[in-house]
Amino acid sequence: MKKAPTTGAPAEGITRKDFLNGLLCSAGAAMLPVTVARALDMGPDATAEEYFLSRGIGQSDPRYYPPALTGMRGSHPGSFEAGHSLRDGARWDDAGAAADTGEHYDLIVVGGGISGLSTAYFFRRLHGPESRILILDNHDDFGGHAKRNEFTAGGKTLIGYGGTQSIEALALYTPEAMGLLRELGIDIKRFEQYYDQSFRTTHGLRTASFFDRGEFGTDALCPEHDSSSYFRLKVDRAQFEAFLARAPLASQAKRDLRRLQFEKVDYLAGKSTAEKIALLKRISVKEFLEKYVRVHPDVLKYYQQRPHGLFGVGIDAVAALSGLWFLPEGVASGLALSGEMFEEMGNEPYIYHFPDGNASIARLLVRSLVPACASGSTMEDIVTARMNYAALDQSASRVRIRLNSTAVRVKHTGDPATADGVDVTYVSAGKAYRARGAKVVLACWNMVIPYLCPEMPQVQRDGLAYCVKVPLVYVTVQVRNWMALKKLGVGTVYCPSSYFSEVNMDFPVSIGDYHYTKRPEDPCLIHLVRTPCKPGLSTKEQHRAGRAELFTTPFATFEQQVHEQLGRMFGPGGFDPARDIQAITINRWPHGYAYDYSTLWDPEWPEDKAPHIVGRQPFGRIAIANADSGAVAETSSAIEQALRACREVLAMPT
Ligand SMILES: Cc1cc2nc3c(=O)[nH]c(=O)nc-3n(C[C@H](O)[C@H](O)[C@H](O)COP(=O)(O)OP(=O)(O)OC[C@H]3O[C@@H](n4cnc5c(N)ncnc54)[C@H](O)[C@@H]3O)c2cc1C
């Protein structure tokens, strides 16, 4: 999510991704792949660690290849237990508790997401190519949220994204951040050819809403136009009426939707622009619709999950000002606030997408840091490059990337003001190890840092702990073909009350040797989004409740929900989940998006007093990166913060 624009319009910005929700297209230890688990008779709750152990495969084994694992991925079992033990009081820094690896590095980076990898990239550039760097990450794959999902269908590899979806909101990229992409070989303009922008219209795959019988009395998949004011699309009146005719909504709700769409009404008439903005910052979308627009309750039900993919909560917890982008054109233009708010991002096509999302950025960074891990040199060949994980942590390499390794203590060798190094203790496969860095960058999540460095000043620890990351789940489903979608004429579906709030056919991108499906008879990937939350609570409480839900939801529940929802949505087109679903990857992110402040729930601090600024101050020989430290859930922020942290450690005494 992007930072508040300085235009004086909305205080909470909007970008991207899920709101794009298709229109663009018109424009313990990880669960096993079910098939593998069955073959090994290990059960689908077996962990990746158990899986690898059962086959004697570790990161140094050439067969180690996490992107191809299906089942429970994302923050997979095995990635979080050491961290949770640390939170619950376990300690590994007593004398003798950790084995000394004897390793000394110029820099140790905790966190192998795009921010950690960018930190290593910038450090090497600024400190010199001889720099010795160790990157630690608790997951079995690098990239953090930027994760690759691979599937095999009839000998062909299908590539999907397990998290960070696209390069977006280009205006947020600083020249240095965009420069990094360019240095990695990414030419943004080439996506104009790689992304088949006519695919959805060619195949008649429209956006639609799926009304669920639990909330709306009947299941109904209703193709529609896109009505969000964000894109200022010209609404086709006939299509709009056809949508209303099919939608299981009360007559009054239909009249309201028509009014919202076509009548330019100022629902805050009599207030100045400043007063309107001040009010819209303080009330939720729901309250605005209820009290000022006075809509039928069905309209509220219809919009309830609309902001889920972007905010992780529904209309009850999103400030009205931030929610204007998904309300129909009549509302925003009636309020006369839409100008600059929508202008800034509205013209950017949502096409800057690698088949594995921004995992390609992570892979390009890794290939640049450890050239032996993959062949090739272009943004095209990285897409199909087979990554050799065995090369990532070799003693001969100046940069080493150590996976399945959770940092549990980061401690100066003496007084932080005068120490000449920092010891980093990490846990891997249940054992603790220690390595030393002249400097350390913590490119891990903000809320972990107070546990790693308890000697940080209390005010800094409070700043770091303030952020509550947004939980969300991206599911990638391999289906036998997409004939049902073609028959139904839908490619992108918003689901106001279903378990998954969004169901989208994968982005039509072909790059290098990778080719997107061309025929409805071919296999393809479908992406589903769930953002668990609890309407009625504050955003932070909702995020915590959602995280608790994810912690206790087994793979089998997700699997059953995928089967049920896809069956009910696409069954009328001939889709049979038992026959047509070939594989499922649950990318579970309990600690997902960086927390972006909300005018509804957070005070408005002076810039230098905001918790993320207070929290990210250098401490002795330690600096802090990660998108959290920019309070913006964007790749641009992850890179920008990496550069800042890198400059900070380089300014520290050697
Ligand atoms: C589902 C999803 C979709 C997104 N989509 C987009 C998008 O389309 N475009 C966009 O620009 N941004 C998107 N984002 C935001 C995304 O988070 C950022 O773009 C960026 O990838 C964040 O990178 P990062 O390195 O700062 O954090 P992360 O990717 O979270 O990486 C931090 C890493 O540190 C690890 N770590 C934490 N604690 C420890 C420890 N103690 N020891 C070792 N390792 C540790 C974490 O497990 C993680 O692997 C998305 C985020 C999510 C969750």
Side-chain angles (χ1 to χ4, degrees):
M1 294 181 208
K2 84 180 172 79
K3 269 181 184 281
T6 49
T7 56
E12 295 179 58
I14 42 171
T15 65
R16 90 130 148 303
K17 171 160 115 248
D18 302 318
F19 68 81
L20 304 162
N21 194 4
L23 1 127
L24 316 157
C25 309
S26 53
M31 281 186 198
L32 288 181
V34 182
T35 44
V36 176
R38 282 190 194 124
L40 293 171
D41 197 24
M42 294 179 74
D45 285 338
T47 65
E49 198 174 41
E50 284 164 356
Y51 164 66
F52 287 129
L53 285 176
S54 75
R55 310 176 91 200
I57 298 177
Q59 189 188 330
S60 58
D61 189 303
R63 290 167 297 170
Y64 181 95
Y65 194 66
L69 289 173
T70 55
M72 190 68 97
R73 300 294 296 150
S75 282
H76 54 78
S79 63
F80 55 80
E81 291 77 356
H84 288 183
S85 301
L86 178 68
R87 177 201 61 195
D88 297 339
R91 296 292 174 260
W92 290 266
D93 55 342
D94 301 338
D100 188 351
T101 61
E103 295 168 303
H104 289 249
Y105 293 91
D106 297 310
L107 179 72
I108 296 181
V109 181
V110 177
I114 287 182
S115 199
L117 296 169
S118 303
T119 300
Y121 182 93
F122 287 128
F123 187 84
R124 214 176 44 160
R125 190 212 286 161
L126 298 171
H127 184 257
E130 302 300 306
S131 308
R132 284 183 45 77
I133 304 171
L134 173 67
I135 301 170
L136 298 169
D137 197 277
N138 56 322
H139 289 98
D140 60 14
D141 200 354
F142 59 79
H145 294 143
K147 280 280 157 39
R148 177 176 172 105
N149 289 169
E150 273 187 31
F151 302 85
T152 308
K156 183 180 184 302
T157 301
L158 299 181
I159 302 172
Y161 57 94
T164 312
Q165 191 179 73
S166 294
I167 301 169
E168 60 178 2
L170 300 184
L172 296 182
Y173 280 78
T174 58
E176 291 89 349
M178 194 45 88
L180 178 137
L181 297 191
R182 238 179 268 116
E183 285 168 32
L184 292 174
I186 299 175
D187 177 355
I188 289 286
K189 279 198 81 60
R190 287 192 210 159
F191 286 103
E192 289 168 15
Q193 285 133 45
Y194 297 152
Y195 192 112
D196 183 351
Q197 295 179 63
S198 60
F199 182 86
R200 308 245 167 173
T201 35
T202 303
H203 289 282
L205 302 172
R206 300 165 60 193
T207 57
S209 291
F210 175 67
F211 295 90
D212 176 292
R213 61 177 175 245
E215 191 71 61
F216 294 95
T218 182
D219 285 347
L221 183 67
C222 304
E224 53 176 322
H225 57 89
D226 177 69
S227 59
S228 100
S229 48
Y230 188 86
F231 292 97
R232 299 209 181 145
L233 299 179
K234 190 157 169 42
V235 171
D236 181 311
R237 187 109 200 191
Q239 282 182 10
F240 186 79
E241 290 303 331
F243 165 73
L244 287 187
R246 293 176 65 170
L249 297 167
S251 308
Q252 182 57 47
K254 293 183 183 185
R255 280 195 288 279
D256 286 342
L257 285 175
R258 204 176 282 116
R259 167 169 60 102
L260 298 190
Q261 188 65 60
F262 298 110
E263 290 177 30
K264 195 171 157 182
V265 180
D266 185 350
Y267 294 103
L268 299 180
K271 294 191 190 304
S272 68
T273 300
E275 287 167 341
K276 285 179 187 173
I277 289 173
L279 177 68
L280 292 170
K281 280 179 172 182
R282 283 199 321 272
I283 60 172
S284 69
V285 177
K286 187 175 180 198
E287 191 178 345
F288 173 63
L289 288 174
E290 251 173 348
K291 291 197 187 150
Y292 297 87
V293 187
R294 295 178 182 278
V295 296
H296 185 275
D298 274 8
V299 175
L300 302 177
K301 286 199 288 187
Y302 175 58
Y303 282 119
Q304 177 56 32
Q305 299 202 141
R306 197 68 182 82
H308 268 206
L310 193 57
F311 294 90
V313 288
I315 57 170
D316 57 292
V318 172
L321 193 61
S322 305
L324 282 182
W325 63 268
F326 64 81
L327 294 177
E329 171 69 19
V331 181
S333 51
L335 290 167
L337 293 175
S338 59
E340 296 190 47
M341 175 172 179
F342 299 111
E343 209 61 68
E344 189 182 343
M345 316 291 294
N347 294 330
E348 181 179 306
Y350 197 75
I351 56 169
Y352 307 115
H353 178 83
F354 283 99
D356 60 5
N358 290 4
S360 274
I361 300 179
R363 284 157 63 84
L364 284 164
L365 280 164
V366 168
R367 187 169 70 180
S368 151
L369 294 167
V370 188
C373 72
S375 58
S377 60
T378 67
M379 72 180 274
E380 288 80 14
D381 61 32
I382 197 67
V383 173
T384 45
R386 170 92 184 182
M387 189 64 66
N388 175 14
Y389 284 76
L392 295 182
D393 190 12
Q394 295 291 335
S395 55
S397 176
R398 300 212 148 264
V399 180
R400 302 179 69 167
I401 301 174
R402 196 162 294 164
L403 301 170
N404 301 300
S405 300
T406 308
V408 290
R409 186 72 170 102
V410 178
K411 188 178 180 186
H412 287 91
T413 51
D415 183 333
T418 53
D420 60 1
V422 184
D423 283 338
V424 178
T425 304
Y426 62 92
V427 171
S428 185
K431 295 203 184 102
Y433 302 88
R434 191 171 56 248
R436 181 164 295 179
K439 315 274 175 64
V440 166
V441 169
L442 299 175
C444 53
W445 300 327
N446 268 8
M447 79 286 181
V448 175
I449 296 172
Y451 297 100
L452 299 179
C453 303
E455 49 279 308
M456 273 181 176
Q458 185 65 43
V459 62
Q460 181 168 13
R461 283 187 284 143
D462 290 346
L464 290 162
Y466 186 87
C467 122
V468 177
K469 289 173 85 67
V470 181
L472 63 169
V473 182
Y474 275 16
V475 180
T476 318
V477 180
Q478 176 188 331
V479 294
R480 209 164 57 93
N481 59 55
W482 45 282
M483 283 154 61
L485 280 76
K486 171 97 182 172
K487 188 167 173 198
L488 294 166
V490 297
T492 310
V493 189
Y494 161 60
C495 310
S497 60
S498 305
Y499 191 78
F500 298 104
S501 56
E502 295 168 26
V503 177
N504 303 323
M505 193 173 159
D506 197 10
F507 296 97
V509 181
S510 302
I511 301 188
D513 292 336
Y514 187 72
H515 300 286
Y516 188 69
T517 171
K518 298 262 182 307
R519 304 176 318 133
E521 298 78 19
D522 292 339
C524 79
L525 301 179
I526 292 187
H527 288 272
L528 297 88
V529 179
R530 173 169 176 77
T531 49
C533 55
K534 219 170 171 33
L537 302 176
S538 71
T539 39
K540 283 188 179 183
E541 286 165 339
Q542 295 207 39
H543 297 335
R544 290 193 184 102
R547 178 167 313 130
E549 180 200 301
L550 290 188
F551 192 60
T552 53
T553 306
F555 175 79
T557 302
F558 285 113
E559 184 181 40
Q560 184 252 324
Q561 293 287 353
V562 168
H563 276 247
E564 179 173 336
Q565 192 165 333
L566 292 187
R568 281 167 54 193
M569 287 171 59
F570 301 140
F575 186 83
D576 175 358
R579 182 195 60 206
D580 295 330
I581 293 177
Q582 297 184 314
I584 300 175
T585 298
I586 306 295
N587 299 282
R588 175 181 63 176
W589 299 115
H591 304 281
Y593 294 157
Y595 186 75
D596 199 351
Y597 302 119
S598 159
T599 54
L600 208 50
W601 305 102
D602 298 301
E604 289 192 40
W605 296 275
E607 178 68 9
D608 62 336
K609 297 283 184 295
H612 70 287
I613 305 279
V614 174
R616 75 182 189 203
Q617 296 310 306
F619 175 64
R621 297 181 151 255
I622 301 169
I624 293 167
N626 186 291
D628 287 350
S629 66
V632 179
E634 292 285 350
T635 298
S636 48
S637 173
I639 298 173
E640 187 185 337
Q641 298 309 318
L643 181 58
R644 175 196 45 75
C646 199
R647 286 177 172 148
E648 285 172 359
V649 287
L650 287 167
M652 292 167 187
T654 47

